[in-house]
Amino acid sequence: MTAPPSSSALPSIAVLGCGWLGLPLAKSLVQAGYPVVGSTTTPKQLLTLRDAGITPYLLRLGPDFSATDADTLRVMLGGVEVLVLNIPPSKAGPGGYPALLRPVGSAVAAAGVKHVLFVSSTSVYPDEPRPMTEADAVASAEAASDLLRAEGQFTSAQGQWQTTVVRLSGLIGPERPPGRFLAGRQNVPNGDAPVNLIHLQDCIGLLTSIIEQHAWGYTFNASAAQHLRRREFYPAAAQQLGLAAPVFQPDSTGGKTIDSSLVRRTLHYEFAHDDLLAALAYC
């Protein structure tokens, strides 16, 4: 890890994908004094971004990516030092996630962006009953393979820029209360599998800490420390919302546990919501 920049010269930041996570992250960065530009696919969100102090751009990646979109991306990244790449794999079209992000890599190279913060997912890990560290990612399924290849497009930049990948566990927080995920369902499988979740507040805190500490060149898992069994957590989460609890099958196998010890050791970041049951009050 190299020395962080001085507070008197905060880097300019682009948040590509100002949605459920990207918008509050961008707002938080603006409040911390960073110059921030951000993209949205929704015209009515442009005013929301502008009112938050974010320079807004309308940008759509995917099969309909046009010359106009390429120009927008080029202008958006002009003069930017840090790109937060926060485009979910679900946005990918028939060409897959790597194809979706290929124009971004070209634009990053052309603009001379120095650092990329790639928001990824713990879905790169096989669902096996053991702890998963950052070295355990396996292209065992098409989705995992796509995600790993997309990460590789930015981590193997051969000195053009530095990338840190953050693999987030399941996202919870405002507008994503976990009690709704399985409420009222019957015969739910894998009741003894551990829960791997992270609250929005900790997503923002970790991503900001990486930028602040200049922690580039890493791959990090990001998950709350508490890993209750699904049959313990989801009925409590449903009850908190006044919804019917899910009923799990009596027999069950375990599942993966996301090990986030590396990011804790490296950043010394203190999670606000390691206790998932307590976190329900903040969703």
Side-chain angles (χ1 to χ4, degrees), residues 187-212:
N187 296 314
V188 180
N190 302 322
D192 292 323
V195 170
N196 299 289
L197 298 171
I198 184 169
H199 192 278
L200 174 63
Q201 183 180 347
D202 285 318
C203 296
I204 294 171
L206 283 170
L207 296 172
T208 302
S209 292
I210 289 167
I211 296 169
E212 290 176 343

Side-chain angles (χ1 to χ4, degrees), residues 80-157:
V80 163
E81 296 174 60
V82 177
L83 168 63
V84 180
L85 182 49
N86 179 46
I87 304 296
S90 60
K91 301 294 184 182
Y97 196 44
L100 180 78
L101 298 184
R102 198 165 292 124
V104 180
S106 299
V108 167
V113 175
K114 296 177 180 178
H115 305 291
V116 175
L117 185 45
F118 191 112
V119 180
S120 188
S121 166
T122 54
S123 62
V124 297
Y125 301 112
D127 195 17
E128 299 173 357
R130 59 185 177 90
M132 294 291 168
T133 69
E134 289 78 1
D136 291 318
V138 177
S140 56
E142 183 176 349
S145 179
D146 254 14
L147 190 50
L148 284 174
R149 287 200 303 271
E151 289 180 4
Q153 290 176 177
F154 292 87
T155 56
S156 59

